[in-house]
Amino acid sequence: MATSKQMTFSRRSFLKSSALASGGMIIGFNLFNACKSDVKPSIDLSKLNYNDFNAFIKISPEGKVTIFAPNPEIGQGVKTSMPMLIAEELDVAWKDVYVVQGDLDTKNFTRQLAGGSQSIRLGWEPLRQTGATAKQMLVNAAAARWGVDASECNAKLGVITNANGETLGYGDVVSEAALLEVPENVTLKDSKDFTIIGQGKGNVDIDKIITGKPLFGLDYKEEGMLYATILRPPAFGQILDSFDAAAAKAIPGVIDVITIGEKAKAYIEDGPNSWTARFNDHEKVVVIANNTWNAIKGKKAIKATWKEESPLEDTALHDKKLNAILDGNTFSTMRSDGNVKKAFANADTVFERTYESPFLPHSCMEPMNFFASVTPDKVHLVGPTQTPAEAAKIVSKLLDRDIDDVHVEMTRMGGGFGRRLYNDFVCEAVEISNTIKKPVKMVSTREDDIATGIYRPAKKYRIAASLKEGEITGYHLKESNIDSNMYGLIPHFFPAGAIENYQVDTANYRSNISTGAWRAPYTNFLASAEQSFFDELAEEMGVDRIQLHMDLLDKAKNNPDPKIDYSPERLQGVLKLVVDKSNWGKAEEGVYQGLSVYYCHNTHVAEVADIVMENGLPLVKKVTCAVDCGVVVNPLGALNQIKGGIIDGIGHAMYSDFGFNNGIPQSNNFNTYQLIRMGQTPKVDVHFIESDMAPTGLGEPTLPPVGAAVANAIYKATGKRLRKQPYMSNMNVEETVLG
Amino acid sequence: MQNIDNMPTFNLKINNETHTVEADMDTPLLWVLRDQIDLVGTKYGCGIGQCGACTVHVDGTATRSCLLQVSQAEGMNITTIEGLSEHGDHPVQQAWKEVDVPQCGYCQAGQIMTASAFLDKNPNPTETQIRNAMHGNICRCAAYNNIEEAVKVAAEKLS
Ligand code: FES
Ligand code: FES
């Protein structure tokens, strides 16, 4: 079972130390890899060698600790929780720890990607080892100075004490420690001795955020920097035919109007392709101006004509294609146990339902943007990306330049949700700067951001179960998707292993609309579909919903299957906890409850939604959530992510609708595209399973299940099964249309 | 390159300082603040008055700076997040820190400016009043529970 696996890695020389030129010690470490034998951290802080190490700890002669944190921050709090792991084992006061976002300038960086809720899970052991090793070096230095054995010394809160009660601060011995051998065998603390892990630590950028200091990509400025906006085709399937820039050029502050696109086109010929539709528009018109507003005005003044390059698609077409897939036989099978066909043939009843969800834009609060300065000696890039190393790689290919010329500096990100995995905005900024030979910031308007996005595609799930003598004998799930299919371990999630005859099939339709990952890819709707289905199935079988799940999980426990990717015990644990904490089955008059329990992104979650009807419409009042995420490293950060994931999930399941008409997105701003607002939000009540298992991520796993919890509650309130998201736009759908 | 010498000039009173800027009449205050005066705490989210990321105080009232043209802002007292307090310790800012509100943080300056103008007029709000007052500010990270909680904490500090 993947969740309980301990990280193993060769500790041998995964970190190196040097004495800093400015005094103090610098430790470079290479998470997940051994360091090259001949490298040492740079002794000059301004030239940290990120090519050899992916993060650094500096300990100053004053005993202050600075961690150059490697992971980009997209609201997941990893910039806080990852340093907590180091600080815990290093045994320093949290107030003496500073965190600096390192520039990413690297070819070797392995896990610089913020996504997949993986950062904290993969860093759990190595980050603690790093802290513990640094502490041991300091202790060894102090012991050497005292002429005693290191085992007689103790370190706490930045102070080393020997058997005689003499003390030395970390800062006092740091210069000597820097010259010592890196010890090989350090022991990690027992979880009951943690003083930082498990304590709520606030966001490290909090002071800057609440006082409006520059932090985000859109805030970045450089001397002589120009601003650029890009005019892209209004419809997917169209390309530029001609344009007239005279009116735009007449606007004061507009400096030039150029086109880009040729280089990107050359690049995508062998590039990844789920998002290439965006590059296929061949040529884009770019307005260069002295400030953002003039660049926006200039863009509006361009008169362009467009021609159709491929058919203009709309939502009705997608619907038809997805249905045809469900009815057809183009599927590939992702997992198959037993014989579903036979089970269905022998069944007393086959129960089948279909669930569907629309396209969704990411709507990051900070629209896409990037700064680029392409000069003969280097390519300087600054901005918000979830994949900085990938950005450097693409740009070096795009410009045909050595990767060492490309420097990526990361800013804080105003949201990612998967959108900033794709570096299309980096390529655009680079092409513009390369053309005009000036530093430039490419800025998207909200309309660009929503209407020329890389969307979560619309999809449908058809799920069928065969029942015989009151037992579930078979389970068959078909995924009908656009552009891509579920992958990896998803087919091995619950109920895999719990039902003897089990099959997951998938097929897709290729669209010319660009699609990509969106917070909790695939599971973000799959969980809603499956957990709504089980609610319906329990009703059909006339059994208790909780009991049905407990029994299925017992079956999975009793037939251990090494391939399944969840823990039946842990799922039962969260299920019991949520039942206990949510007042399940005992809700007060007028409150209707719905349940959902799910495992994804390495974390086990159960949720109960309490809804009331207000003016004939459902409103979610409260969500009770039970989470098993192993050790809770930073409860404050964890709560933020859990609550945010749940409310985000409710928003998109209930309110956010998105489709296409003749290739044109039906909305391009928040007046027509609805995001959840405060008046629609429930109170989220979170309960953790106490655990000393390795921590698992929380950026994603609480989002997927909540849609079903809401739909199941709405059914109790209205008698209406909602199988199509967003629920509020589809409240009146006749049940006969679906299922 | 166009001649930009003939741009009109505006005198703006921002955070108790006068700034003289040259800009086209129709330039939203938002972009003058961000690009010309280097006050980037005020954020761009939608440009059409829907998200509240760009909220500033104009003569004490929470105002969408993306909808306020620079030509209309002359003579008014404008406060941005940078000028809400001298040391970042306005009760609302303190509450935001105590509750550890932000996730990505992008919307938070706008949230704080909306909350502070609201509490100025109504220091003892009910929960419903808080939810109504904050309904215009979108938080894509959905840190709504924290925002609501922090407004309550700030109200306690103020009353
Ligand atoms: S940017 Fe002004 S309300 Fe959204
Ligand atoms: S904290 Fe990210 S948008 Fe509010």
Side-chain angles (χ1 to χ4, degrees):
Chain A
M1 197 179 54
T3 44
S4 58
K5 250 177 231 150
Q6 284 294 319
M7 278 293 307
T8 50
F9 71 112
S10 155
R11 216 169 37 74
R12 178 162 283 276
S13 62
F14 80 104
L15 59 82
K16 296 285 185 67
S17 68
S18 297
L20 271 174
S22 55
M25 167 187 194
I26 182 107
I27 295 171
F29 54 100
N30 201 350
L31 294 182
F32 327 123
N33 272 319
C35 301
K36 287 182 220 135
S37 59
D38 56 338
V39 299
K40 283 270 188 186
S42 163
I43 59 167
D44 175 355
L45 271 186
S46 66
K47 296 203 183 70
L48 289 177
N49 38 340
Y50 279 97
N51 279 349
D52 297 312
F53 300 97
N54 42 40
F56 298 89
I57 307 173
K58 179 189 117 184
I59 304 170
S60 76
E62 293 76 40
K64 303 276 183 219
V65 177
T66 307
I67 296 168
F68 295 83
N71 266 69
E73 177 96 352
I74 50 163
Q76 290 195 26
V78 281
K79 200 163 152 187
T80 307
S81 56
M82 295 185 70
M84 285 174 77
L85 302 181
I86 296 174
E88 176 70 64
E89 295 288 349
L90 183 54
D91 238 315
V92 284
W94 182 246
K95 67 168 176 46
D96 290 333
V97 178
Y98 300 86
V99 181
V100 175
Q101 175 86 67
D103 292 3
L104 251 288
D105 171 16
T106 164
K107 5 183 198 203
N108 300 326
F109 201 85
T110 38
R111 183 81 208 170
Q112 77 298 340
L113 152 79
S117 298
Q118 294 278 41
S119 310
I120 194 71
R121 189 171 72 92
L122 297 180
W124 173 240
E125 282 258 327
L127 287 168
R128 288 164 63 219
Q129 294 272 11
T130 302
T133 306
K135 174 167 123 180
Q136 192 60 53
M137 290 171 80
L138 292 160
V139 169
N140 290 352
R145 180 148 354 143
W146 284 318
V148 300
D149 200 88
S151 64
E152 292 164 25
C153 303
N154 239 319
K156 254 215 146 31
L157 290 174
V159 178
I160 305 155
T161 312
N162 67 18
N164 306 326
E166 293 168 292
T167 61
L168 283 166
Y170 283 1
D172 302 332
V173 292
V174 67
S175 312
E176 289 139 71
L179 307 174
L180 296 179
E181 287 268 309
V182 175
E184 289 294 332
N185 294 310
V186 293
T187 33
L188 298 181
K189 285 185 181 175
D190 198 88
S191 62
K192 68 175 185 338
D193 298 326
F194 288 158
T195 57
I196 292 177
I197 294 172
Q199 301 301 306
K201 299 296 175 202
N203 193 310
V204 293
D205 282 334
I206 184 77
D207 290 321
K208 289 183 185 156
I209 292 172
I210 61 174
T211 54
K213 297 283 175 317
L215 268 179
F216 298 92
L218 215 53
D219 303 342
Y220 185 78
K221 268 180 207 176
E222 214 170 79
E223 195 58 36
M225 178 184 92
L226 299 174
Y227 297 76
T229 52
I230 300 178
L231 182 68
R232 303 180 182 86
F236 286 90
Q238 284 180 333
I239 56 170
L240 184 69
D241 187 14
S242 69
F243 71 98
D244 173 358
K249 285 187 177 166
I251 292 171
V254 170
I255 291 162
D256 204 355
V257 176
I258 62 165
T259 63
I260 58 165
E262 283 313 303
K263 274 198 185 291
K265 198 179 166 231
Y267 155 72
I268 56 151
E269 252 132 51
D270 57 348
N273 60 17
S274 67
W275 44 286
T276 50
R278 212 177 133 86
F279 286 130
N280 282 341
D281 41 8
H282 297 249
E283 218 184 353
K284 299 176 221 182
V285 185
V286 181
V287 177
I288 316 286
N290 63 344
N291 62 37
T292 315
W293 178 246
N294 290 330
I296 292 174
K297 273 202 337 195
K299 181 161 85 105
K300 283 192 191 134
I302 303 271
K303 291 186 191 67
T305 59
W306 312 97
K307 59 185 178 212
E308 204 174 305
E309 195 213 25
S310 55
L312 308 184
E313 300 185 356
D314 45 37
T315 299
L317 173 90
H318 296 145
D319 206 51
K320 226 164 81 191
K321 296 283 182 193
L322 292 176
N323 283 337
I325 287 174
L326 289 178
D327 295 336
N329 54 8
T330 53
F331 289 106
S332 21
T333 296
M334 307 289 289
R335 172 166 171 144
S336 173
D337 302 340
N339 189 334
V340 160
K341 229 185 177 157
K342 215 160 128 197
F344 278 57
N346 294 335
D348 300 335
T349 338
V350 171
F351 184 78
E352 181 186 282
R353 290 289 182 265
T354 302
Y355 302 86
E356 45 191 309
S357 65
F359 276 83
L360 288 179
H362 296 83
S363 335
C364 302
M365 212 63 215
E366 178 191 15
M368 296 307 112
N369 66 86
F370 228 82
F371 169 87
S373 173
V374 180
T375 59
D377 31 291
K378 77 171 194 173
V379 180
H380 184 212
L381 304 172
V382 186
T385 168
Q386 286 175 260
T387 49
E390 188 60 28
K393 236 191 274 164
I394 296 178
V395 169
S396 92
K397 233 168 136 187
L398 188 68
L399 298 179
D400 197 13
R401 293 192 52 163
D402 195 287
I403 186 108
D404 286 339
D405 290 354
V406 184
H407 297 241
V408 185
E409 214 176 292
M410 289 187 299
T411 57
R412 198 174 170 87
M413 291 178 221
F417 310 109
R419 179 63 184 85
R420 290 190 156 100
L421 293 168
Y422 308 101
N423 288 304
D424 51 315
F425 40 85
V426 180
C427 296
E428 289 173 340
V430 162
E431 270 203 89
I432 298 167
S433 175
N434 188 46
T435 308
I436 65 173
K437 309 284 176 230
K438 296 235 166 63
V440 70
K441 183 160 65 183
M442 190 287 290
V443 180
S444 300
T445 62
R446 174 58 57 196
E447 288 80 3
D448 298 331
D449 206 77
I450 293 187
T452 62
I454 296 178
Y455 308 97
R456 193 279 301 263
K459 62 189 75 181
K460 299 195 187 207
Y461 290 103
R462 180 168 291 166
I463 312 176
S466 57
L467 301 174
K468 184 149 180 101
E469 287 151 18
E471 292 286 314
I472 306 172
T473 53
Y475 185 90
H476 192 180
L477 180 130
K478 295 178 184 173
E479 177 184 68
S480 168
N481 209 344
I482 292 179
D483 287 354
S484 61
N485 300 115
M486 68 161 85
Y487 57 91
L489 296 171
I490 298 172
H492 308 290
F493 291 178
F494 181 83
I499 299 170
E500 207 185 323
N501 304 294
Y502 171 92
Q503 188 170 330
V504 174
D505 291 339
T506 176
N508 69 55
Y509 161 72
R510 292 288 303 179
S511 163
N512 62 6
I513 293 164
S514 42
T515 60
W518 194 97
R519 193 177 192 176
Y522 303 94
T523 58
N524 58 42
F525 181 62
L526 176 61
S528 272
E530 288 195 301
Q531 286 298 307
S532 297
F533 181 77
F534 275 106
D535 208 67
E536 296 197 50
L537 188 62
E539 188 186 30
E540 169 78 14
M541 294 168 70
V543 298
D544 177 73
R545 168 82 158 98
I546 310 285
Q547 199 54 52
L548 176 69
H549 252 86
M550 289 305 250
D551 290 350
L552 285 170
L553 289 164
D554 274 340
K555 283 201 184 117
K557 267 201 292 203
N558 297 337
N559 294 312
D561 173 351
K563 279 206 317 254
I564 64 167
D565 189 50
Y566 63 96
S567 154
E569 292 84 356
R570 294 175 87 176
L571 267 186
Q572 286 183 329
V574 291
L575 186 54
K576 279 188 212 148
L577 186 61
V578 88
V579 165
D580 184 36
K581 300 290 181 189
S582 66
N583 225 7
W584 176 254
K586 294 182 269 250
E588 55 189 271
E589 174 91 28
V591 175
Y592 303 90
Q593 294 189 309
L595 172 95
S596 184
V597 47
Y598 202 67
Y599 162 88
C600 63
H601 302 277
N602 305 300
T603 300
H604 300 75
V605 176
E607 293 167 353
V608 168
D610 288 12
I611 70 149
V612 296
M613 296 301 287
E614 263 185 31
N615 308 317
L617 292 175
L619 187 67
V620 188
K621 277 295 208 199
K622 184 181 161 196
V623 174
T624 310
C625 176
V627 188
D628 185 346
C629 57
V631 172
V632 182
V633 177
N634 180 6
L636 263 187
L639 286 174
N640 277 356
Q641 290 179 31
I642 291 169
K643 295 179 180 186
I646 287 173
I647 297 178
D648 183 9
I650 293 173
H652 286 93
M654 289 183 78
Y655 304 106
S656 306
D657 203 359
F658 199 75
F660 298 84
N661 254 326
N662 283 322
I664 303 173
Q666 71 183 28
S667 324
N668 65 9
N669 208 324
F670 300 139
N671 50 347
T672 47
Y673 178 70
Q674 211 190 334
L675 286 174
I676 193 166
R677 292 169 181 271
M678 188 177 281
Q680 298 155 325
T681 60
K683 299 279 182 319
V684 182
D685 181 26
V686 181
H687 301 273
F688 292 102
I689 296 272
E690 250 184 71
S691 165
D692 53 12
M693 307 266 277
T696 57
L698 286 170
E700 291 165 310
T702 62
L703 180 147
V706 77
V710 169
N712 297 339
I714 294 176
Y715 171 69
K716 283 205 196 142
T718 64
K720 208 170 269 180
R721 287 287 181 188
L722 297 175
R723 305 191 185 99
K724 183 173 180 173
Q725 291 186 353
Y727 301 135
M728 299 302 272
S729 315
N730 295 290
M731 283 285 285
N732 297 319
V733 172
E734 286 302 321
E735 278 186 57
T736 49
V737 176
L738 307 167
Chain B
M1 158 91 89
Q2 293 298 316
N3 175 10
I4 51 171
D5 293 341
N6 304 330
M7 286 268 189
T9 306
F10 301 96
N11 294 312
L12 300 174
K13 219 174 129 203
I14 300 164
N15 303 333
N16 295 320
E17 267 176 51
T18 304
H19 295 263
T20 306
V21 294
E22 280 183 12
D24 229 349
M25 309 252 301
D26 65 351
T27 312
L29 176 64
L30 167 68
W31 295 115
V32 172
L33 292 171
R34 291 186 53 84
D35 290 353
Q36 289 176 258
I37 310 182
D38 268 359
L39 292 172
V40 295
T42 305
K43 295 291 189 259
Y44 165 70
C46 68
I48 58 166
Q50 285 287 327
C51 74
C54 65
T55 306
V56 298
H57 297 173
V58 175
D59 293 336
T61 302
T63 304
R64 303 286 158 92
S65 65
C66 69
L67 295 182
L68 185 69
Q69 295 188 353
V70 60
S71 52
Q72 303 166 313
E74 258 193 325
M76 294 171 160
N77 268 317
I78 296 157
T79 307
T80 69
I81 184 75
E82 292 91 343
L84 183 63
S85 63
E86 210 177 315
H87 304 290
D89 55 358
H90 184 283
V92 174
Q93 286 166 316
Q94 287 176 10
W96 244 250
K97 190 169 172 171
E98 273 170 46
V99 177
D100 193 39
V101 171
Q103 288 204 40
C104 82
Y106 193 80
C107 71
Q108 299 298 344
Q111 306 274 4
I112 290 172
M113 296 310 279
T114 301
S116 53
F118 163 66
L119 290 174
D120 233 17
K121 304 207 159 90
N122 185 355
N124 272 311
T126 63
E127 188 177 298
T128 311
Q129 286 170 335
I130 292 175
R131 285 169 77 91
N132 290 342
M134 303 307 295
H135 196 74
N137 286 67
I138 294 176
C139 175
R140 173 63 182 87
C141 302
Y144 292 113
N145 276 197
N146 283 354
I147 294 166
E148 196 176 336
E149 171 69 21
V151 178
K152 284 182 197 159
V153 171
E156 268 161 38
K157 287 179 190 291
L158 282 162
S159 61

